[in-house]
Amino acid sequence: MNKIGKFYITTTLPYVNADPHIGFALEVVQADIIARHHKFLGEEVVFNTGTDEHGLKIYRKALEEGKETQKYADENAAKFGKLKKSLNLDFTNFIRTTDPHHMAAAQEFWRRCENSGDIYKKNYRVKYCVGCELEKTDSELADGKCPIHPNLELELIDEENYFFRFSKYQKPLLELYEKYPDFVVPAHRLTEIRNFVASGLQDFSVSRLKSKMPWGVPVPGDDMQIMYVWFDALTNYISTLGWPEDDKKFGDFWGTKEKPNALQIAGKDNLRQQSAMWQAMLLSAGLPPSRQIIIHGFITSDGQKMSKSLGNVVNPFEIVEKYGTDALRFFLAHNMSPFEDSDFFWDRFKEAYNANLANGIGNLAARVMKLAEDNLEKAVRPEAAELPPEYREAMGKFEFNRATGYILARARAMDQKINEKEPFRLVKTDPEAGKKIIAELAEELYFIARLLEPFMPDTGAKIKKAVLANKKSAILFPRFS
């Protein structure tokens, strides 16, 4: 899928109008797992995330709190920056859409689309959801409201704006999807976007009147207009690579028209923006398309999407404070579907934590390393081993629950081996045979730790360190009653 030696992945950029929640934590942890896996494969990785700081909802939120908009954005962007430590993220780039370089890149991107004849001006009247920052047709509404933000009233926009000639790119987009059958995963999301594009595309607005919404990137050559937030924000995926100045870095990581390289990850509410709107914009600007887009589901609460506007969000910092970073990362990977909606309950989290970590990985590591410390004269030195085909395939398909399930199965097999072989008894009657089994267990534990590292970096490192030192580590996962 990617050029040998180079790998690029980006999340979407969350709005800074509220605190981080577990829905975005799912996305950024999934991206981090992928990035860490590719680093292990020996590739140079650029992992991009950041914050989307323009748009109507942020402007209004700053007004509501009586703050200067940039100051409001600065304060809230810092909260998302804290996710790096709290979730142990290994991202290389953290871009903010208020960065001067990004704003200049967005303006250059506009000029290229304009030079292609794809930006024009007209009067229009449309229903608009501030929560989505998107126009809504009647067919997209449920009882006259946005189904994603039913608590928000739709607004009517009636003004003269610039438009992007989206309708021009129906055929090129369908050709793109045909060329890359795995362009969007899972497959039913590709079918969904293909059907949307095949039904006909409507040009969309790419600006707002500055007099009504002054917070954003100025439209080149028109002081009366501000770029529409989606047009501005999507450009971050390439501005973070130094585009348009750094052609080499852009080509190495984003790819070329002949060999696109970029992997994106987004929620299902971003399907249209990422896999159709953004791709059309890239084609208009004469740039390579993305190579693949992963679409994940929502984390729900009692079947409802968690959202800041609905007030039913779960704070990832709260989970980390009680259970630890690796526990949350493993739960998001193993217990949440990689592609479909999944419900979050505190009781379910505690049950999974105790079963898989406290009584599972943690207990196994303690058992094996106690045996090793008590009975082996020196630490084992495990040889580098190839990743198992089942694990590699699951990671390649972004099926994190299947990869972690494979790890847990190997851990259970180790427990079974201990129970059946009883090396703690055998070492007393046949020391050589008993020590051989214990050494095998220590080597297998080291290998399991390696498989765990993309999911639980600290836990994997602690287990590997214990094996190489031949010392029992501290309790990894205390049990919660």
Side-chain angles (χ1 to χ4, degrees):
M1 186 192 75
N2 54 287
K3 292 170 67 176
I4 298 299
K6 307 288 184 183
F7 181 77
Y8 175 84
I9 184 169
T10 182
T11 69
T12 56
L13 301 190
Y15 288 117
V16 294
N17 62 312
D19 292 345
H21 63 81
I22 198 171
F24 180 66
L26 171 69
E27 181 173 311
V28 75
V29 166
Q30 287 181 338
D32 188 72
I33 290 166
I34 296 167
R36 287 178 183 274
H37 177 63
H38 279 267
K39 279 190 177 181
F40 174 78
L41 297 178
E43 295 173 289
E44 183 182 353
V45 172
V46 169
F47 169 18
N48 179 60
T49 189
T51 46
D52 187 350
E53 301 176 18
H54 291 134
L56 188 58
K57 65 168 106 178
I58 292 167
Y59 176 66
R60 286 182 176 173
K61 191 68 176 178
L63 288 177
E64 179 186 313
E65 295 190 10
K67 295 179 179 177
E68 191 269 327
T69 315
Q70 185 64 61
K71 182 182 179 186
Y72 172 83
D74 291 343
E75 291 174 355
N76 285 278
K79 295 177 183 178
F80 284 89
K82 289 178 181 177
L83 288 175
K84 184 177 181 72
K85 180 179 179 181
S86 186
L87 298 179
N88 196 3
L89 303 173
D90 197 27
F91 57 74
T92 55
N93 296 25
F94 187 92
I95 191 167
R96 299 177 57 187
T97 56
T98 53
D99 291 341
H101 176 266
H102 166 76
M103 295 176 69
Q107 290 179 318
E108 174 60 20
F109 194 92
W110 176 287
R111 293 186 193 98
R112 295 195 184 193
C113 294
E114 190 173 39
N115 290 339
S116 295
D118 293 334
I119 292 181
Y120 64 96
K121 210 173 188 182
K122 75 169 183 177
N123 287 302
Y124 82 121
R125 178 182 174 89
V126 70
K127 294 174 182 175
Y128 189 79
C129 173
V130 176
C132 293
E133 294 276 16
L134 283 175
E135 303 159 8
K136 298 291 179 178
T137 63
D138 289 339
S139 63
E140 295 174 303
L141 304 178
D143 298 324
K145 293 182 178 292
C146 171
I148 299 175
H149 300 94
N151 59 318
L152 298 179
E153 293 294 326
L154 292 172
E155 301 188 11
L156 286 177
I157 294 179
D158 188 359
E159 60 189 48
E160 184 181 48
N161 292 156
Y162 288 96
F163 273 69
F164 176 75
R165 213 176 295 278
F166 196 30
S167 56
K168 174 180 171 182
Y169 290 93
Q170 180 181 25
K171 183 180 178 183
L173 287 173
L174 292 175
E175 290 173 347
L176 177 64
Y177 306 150
E178 184 69 23
K179 184 176 182 180
Y180 299 108
D182 62 347
F183 184 74
V184 178
V185 290
H188 71 270
R189 295 296 179 198
L190 179 60
T191 299
E192 183 181 337
I193 196 61
R194 183 189 287 116
N195 290 343
F196 168 77
V197 172
S199 67
L201 299 176
Q202 300 295 316
D203 297 351
F204 59 86
S205 171
V206 290
S207 74
R208 296 290 182 264
L209 283 174
K210 187 176 181 179
S211 59
K212 293 183 179 180
M213 213 293 288
W215 180 243
V217 180
V219 168
D222 191 338
D223 293 337
M224 306 300 290
Q225 299 270 341
I226 293 292
M227 279 188 204
Y228 167 54
V229 62
W230 276 102
F231 193 94
D232 147 31
L234 289 167
T235 313
N236 91 86
Y237 304 138
I238 59 175
S239 68
T240 193
L241 293 171
W243 185 89
E245 299 89 0
D246 195 338
D247 289 337
K248 185 179 187 309
K249 186 174 183 180
F250 175 74
D252 283 347
F253 287 97
W254 189 263
T256 63
K257 291 178 183 178
E258 296 74 25
K259 202 168 185 179
N261 189 52
L263 176 65
Q264 297 182 225
I265 186 167
K268 66 180 185 179
D269 55 341
N270 264 261
L271 175 64
R272 185 188 310 178
Q273 297 93 308
Q274 307 299 328
S275 59
M277 293 167 65
W278 171 230
Q279 305 310 315
M281 289 162 56
L282 286 165
L283 293 171
S284 175
L287 298 173
S290 307
R291 172 56 188 88
Q292 193 172 44
I293 300 172
I294 307 166
I295 299 294
H296 62 80
F298 294 147
I299 294 185
T300 55
S301 176
D302 292 327
Q304 267 196 314
K305 175 181 180 282
M306 287 187 184
S307 82
K308 292 169 280 194
S309 57
L310 292 176
N312 64 346
V313 300
V314 171
N315 185 336
F317 297 112
E318 184 180 352
I319 302 173
V320 168
E321 184 176 354
K322 184 173 183 179
Y323 290 96
T325 296
D326 276 2
L328 175 56
R329 287 176 62 103
F330 192 83
F331 183 85
L332 292 175
H334 185 66
N335 297 90
M336 300 285 101
S337 167
F339 305 124
E340 304 302 333
D341 293 353
S342 302
D343 248 359
F344 180 93
F345 299 103
W346 279 99
D347 286 347
R348 182 188 178 197
F349 185 95
K350 184 172 74 172
E351 181 182 340
Y353 169 92
N354 283 330
N356 295 326
L357 302 182
N359 297 336
I361 299 291
N363 184 60
L364 174 66
R367 292 181 77 188
V368 171
M369 291 317 302
K370 180 71 168 67
L371 285 169
E373 184 177 9
D374 289 348
N375 297 286
L376 299 183
E377 289 78 20
K378 59 181 182 179
V380 299
R381 288 292 180 264
E383 295 183 5
E386 289 289 324
L387 294 178
E390 303 95 315
Y391 177 89
R392 185 185 284 270
E393 180 188 31
M395 294 296 279
K397 293 182 176 180
F398 317 114
E399 294 173 356
F400 312 115
N401 50 356
R402 187 156 68 95
T404 50
Y406 173 82
I407 296 169
L408 291 175
R410 287 188 73 140
R412 287 192 295 270
M414 286 183 66
D415 272 323
Q416 185 176 351
K417 182 175 181 177
I418 295 172
N419 294 337
E420 291 177 353
K421 300 288 186 180
E422 296 187 329
F424 46 89
R425 296 185 191 278
L426 183 61
V427 76
K428 297 174 182 177
T429 58
D430 188 345
E432 185 176 345
K435 289 179 181 182
K436 182 176 183 295
I437 292 172
I438 293 169
E440 290 170 354
L441 289 167
E443 290 182 0
E444 173 70 356
L445 181 65
Y446 186 93
F447 188 62
I448 283 179
R450 161 62 199 98
L451 300 181
L452 279 172
E453 280 188 302
F455 305 97
M456 298 196 293
D458 280 351
T459 299
K462 286 177 181 177
I463 293 175
K464 288 168 67 176
K465 182 179 179 181
V467 172
L468 295 177
N470 203 35
K471 294 288 184 182
K472 181 181 174 183
S473 63
I475 295 173
L476 295 174
F477 301 102
R479 182 177 172 80
F480 284 85
S481 57

